[in-house]
Amino acid sequence: MSENKPSTDKYKNILSATYIIPLVKNKAGINTTLDTDLALINQKIGNLQVKINPNNFINNSLKKFWKMKFLEHKVNIANKSLANGKRQLNLINQRFKSNLVDKSDVLLQTNNYQNQNISLMEAQRELQNLTGIKIKNNDLKLEKIIDVVDGLEINNLNTIKILEFKKTKIHREMRSLSNQSKPKVDLSLGMQTVRSSKSIFSSSTKNDNILSVGFSIAFPLKKSLNSGLISKKQNELRILNLSKKDKILELQDSNDSSLMQLSALKKILDINKEQLIINTTKTQEFEKKYANGNTELRYMIESQINEQNVKLSYFSNLFKYHSLQLDYKNLLF
């Protein structure tokens, strides 16, 4: 009978490696990749917020520009009215010297001229307060009105996208919390290589390779370790869903309101244009009548003031239109 002789090898090198595959808890790395996944979602939310903030700044800057344009028109109107008032005052003074008009006409037109001078200075002050620079007179043309059509697509709005990403973030956290409460079932694959020799300098070595497969199962002591955290996340999700519904209703109401206001302002501007033509013609007729002595000065001045007010009303409504248009475009962002 042969006997198993004990090994006489004195030196051994052992190299082992084990690969563990989670089958239930942390399956596919759902828990170990949580921080990375949340960081990626936060980055997407941050990217959208970075877009929104500059867009608000641009929107406010453009509204300031349109306000500046309105005030420039206001200065221009006041400047033209003052020049016309000065011309009328000179003519009336000449007619007074020729005994063609009463002193009351001179006083009335002088008062009108001073009021126009005050209007010009106030308009210039408003413009300088806005821009911080001294304004020179310039001849400005009427801006073109651009029609606005309904372009609201709720799911493409950045504010809604941010809410959706926040919901995705909570869902991702809940998946990990739920998975962490499951049993730990791991499949382990191991391999070991043993090199043995009689001497450290020996060239004669013996290799033994060992492959191992095993399962390990561990059950949590409680039924759900994270039930409280999951409930909290569910409440957060319900709040987000309600916030999204409220935001959608708010955006739809703002959309409808803006379109109605823009449509109404466009009609008002069309009426203002007609009023401009009518009042300009009326003022010209009163100036002719007064020059021929067929009407009183106060009627001519009243017509001039009405014409100036209609121009200011037009440009004021134009400014409102462009401002509302910018707000509407910002709503769609």
Side-chain angles (χ1 to χ4, degrees):
M1 177 180 286
S2 62
E3 296 181 359
N4 291 330
K5 296 181 179 181
S7 173
T8 60
D9 297 334
K10 294 182 179 181
Y11 299 95
K12 291 185 179 181
N13 294 321
I14 301 174
L15 176 65
S16 62
T18 304
Y19 184 66
I20 298 175
I21 304 173
L23 300 180
V24 180
K25 187 175 183 179
N26 198 34
K27 183 179 180 182
I30 187 172
N31 298 325
T32 54
T33 61
L34 175 62
D35 290 342
T36 302
D37 292 343
L38 293 181
L40 291 173
I41 296 172
N42 284 333
Q43 183 181 24
K44 291 178 181 178
I45 293 173
N47 289 339
L48 290 174
Q49 289 174 333
V50 164
K51 289 180 181 179
I52 290 173
N53 293 336
N55 192 69
N56 288 334
F57 173 77
I58 292 170
N59 181 62
N60 291 332
S61 297
L62 288 173
K63 287 171 72 173
K64 183 177 179 181
F65 165 78
W66 283 115
K67 185 174 183 179
M68 182 184 71
K69 294 294 289 182
F70 162 66
L71 292 176
E72 284 179 346
H73 282 298
K74 190 174 181 179
V75 169
N76 191 55
I77 291 169
N79 195 29
K80 287 183 176 179
S81 296
L82 183 65
N84 185 56
K86 179 66 174 176
R87 180 177 59 82
Q88 291 287 348
L89 182 58
N90 291 336
L91 289 174
I92 291 173
N93 276 321
Q94 290 176 8
R95 297 184 70 185
F96 175 70
K97 291 176 182 178
S98 302
N99 295 321
L100 297 175
V101 297
D102 295 332
K103 183 66 175 180
S104 59
D105 282 1
V106 176
L107 295 174
L108 186 60
Q109 182 57 27
T110 301
N111 183 65
N112 181 47
Y113 174 75
Q114 294 300 340
N115 287 336
Q116 291 168 338
N117 198 15
I118 291 171
S119 296
L120 175 60
M121 288 188 290
E122 288 178 345
Q124 288 175 330
R125 179 180 53 78
E126 285 184 81
L127 186 54
Q128 288 174 18
N129 287 341
L130 181 67
T131 61
I133 58 176
K134 189 173 182 179
I135 303 302
K136 294 182 179 179
N137 297 330
N138 54 6
D139 191 15
L140 299 167
K141 297 180 180 179
L142 304 183
E143 280 77 8
K144 182 181 178 182
I145 295 296
I146 301 173
D147 289 332
V148 175
V149 295
D150 191 351
L152 184 66
E153 295 181 11
I154 291 291
N155 292 329
N156 289 335
L157 302 183
N158 286 329
T159 50
I160 299 300
K161 288 180 180 178
I162 288 175
L163 290 174
E164 281 299 321
F165 278 129
K166 287 182 178 180
K167 287 173 59 179
T168 301
K169 184 179 175 181
I170 292 177
H171 280 299
R172 178 65 183 86
E173 290 174 314
M174 289 174 61
R175 282 171 55 203
S176 278
L177 288 171
S178 177
N179 182 268
Q180 289 168 10
S181 301
K182 292 183 178 180
K184 184 179 180 182
V185 181
D186 295 338
L187 169 65
S188 59
L189 303 175
M191 188 177 73
Q192 188 179 73
T193 299
V194 180
R195 296 167 59 92
S196 58
S197 62
K198 294 179 180 180
S199 170
I200 190 171
F201 300 108
S202 174
S203 60
S204 176
T205 59
K206 182 173 61 178
N207 295 332
D208 291 323
N209 296 320
I210 302 170
L211 181 66
S212 62
V213 179
F215 283 94
S216 63
I217 301 176
F219 293 93
L221 295 177
K222 296 183 179 180
K223 184 178 181 180
S224 177
L225 297 174
N226 295 326
S227 59
L229 291 173
I230 292 174
S231 297
K232 181 180 178 181
K233 292 297 176 184
Q234 288 173 337
N235 287 332
E236 290 179 10
L237 191 60
R238 280 192 287 268
I239 292 171
L240 268 178
N241 283 326
L242 290 173
S243 297
K244 182 182 175 182
K245 288 180 181 179
D246 290 341
K247 191 64 179 178
I248 288 174
L249 290 174
E250 177 189 332
L251 289 168
Q252 288 174 336
D253 287 344
S254 297
N255 179 74
D256 295 341
S257 175
S258 295
L259 288 173
M260 288 176 61
Q261 291 181 64
L262 284 166
S263 177
L265 274 172
K266 188 175 183 298
K267 292 177 182 178
I268 291 172
L269 285 166
D270 289 337
I271 294 172
N272 284 156
K273 288 180 180 179
E274 294 178 4
Q275 289 177 321
L276 279 173
I277 297 172
I278 294 170
N279 279 272
T280 300
T281 304
K282 186 179 74 171
T283 299
Q284 290 172 351
E285 290 299 316
F286 271 108
E287 287 175 353
K288 289 178 184 178
K289 285 185 176 182
Y290 179 73
N292 295 326
N294 294 327
T295 189
E296 296 180 22
L297 177 61
R298 61 189 180 92
Y299 294 125
M300 183 188 74
I301 292 175
E302 183 181 325
S303 181
Q304 291 172 340
I305 292 173
N306 287 339
E307 180 187 357
Q308 182 176 351
N309 288 338
V310 169
K311 288 179 181 178
L312 288 174
S313 176
Y314 173 80
F315 287 114
S316 177
N317 289 326
L318 190 63
F319 164 65
K320 291 177 185 176
Y321 184 90
H322 285 295
S323 295
L324 186 59
Q325 187 182 46
L326 287 169
D327 285 338
Y328 180 72
K329 288 180 179 179
N330 195 45
L331 173 71
L332 302 181
F333 182 73

